[in-house]
Amino acid sequence: ETTWSDIDKTRLYGIGSVMYSALTVALHPLTVAKIRRQVITNNNPTTFNSGSFFQNYYRGLSVVVSLAIPARIIYISTLEFTRELIDTNTRQFLFNPPPAVAVYEKQLQS
């Protein structure tokens, strides 16, 4: 079993950030199109004739990526640290129960 302390965090964050950023760059136009589609009304038809595809659909990508990477690092760190903490405490509780639980289990067995 691999624990959080065994993982090379520099490599995880480096490779993970590049892969997550690549996925964000690839899916950003779909997100923008979805949001624009939700906002369009009959009174306000939006056209994107001016500018190029990249200018229209990749506007704001730098903000999204620059804020998503630190948020992702904090999220993964918190998730893995909490998972390891819960796993360790659960195992300790199951294999070494507190005295009150041990006495209750003996009463149930007899």
Side-chain angles (χ1 to χ4, degrees), residues 49-65:
N49 294 335
S50 63
S52 67
F53 174 82
F54 292 105
Q55 184 180 10
N56 286 327
Y57 286 98
Y58 283 99
R59 182 179 297 158
L61 179 65
S62 59
V63 175
V64 170
V65 171

Side-chain angles (χ1 to χ4, degrees), residues 23-43:
L23 184 64
T24 302
V25 168
L27 296 177
H28 189 72
L30 294 175
T31 305
V32 171
K34 178 192 76 160
I35 291 171
R36 288 181 181 172
R37 181 84 173 147
Q38 291 173 343
V39 173
I40 291 176
T41 63
N42 292 333
N43 299 335

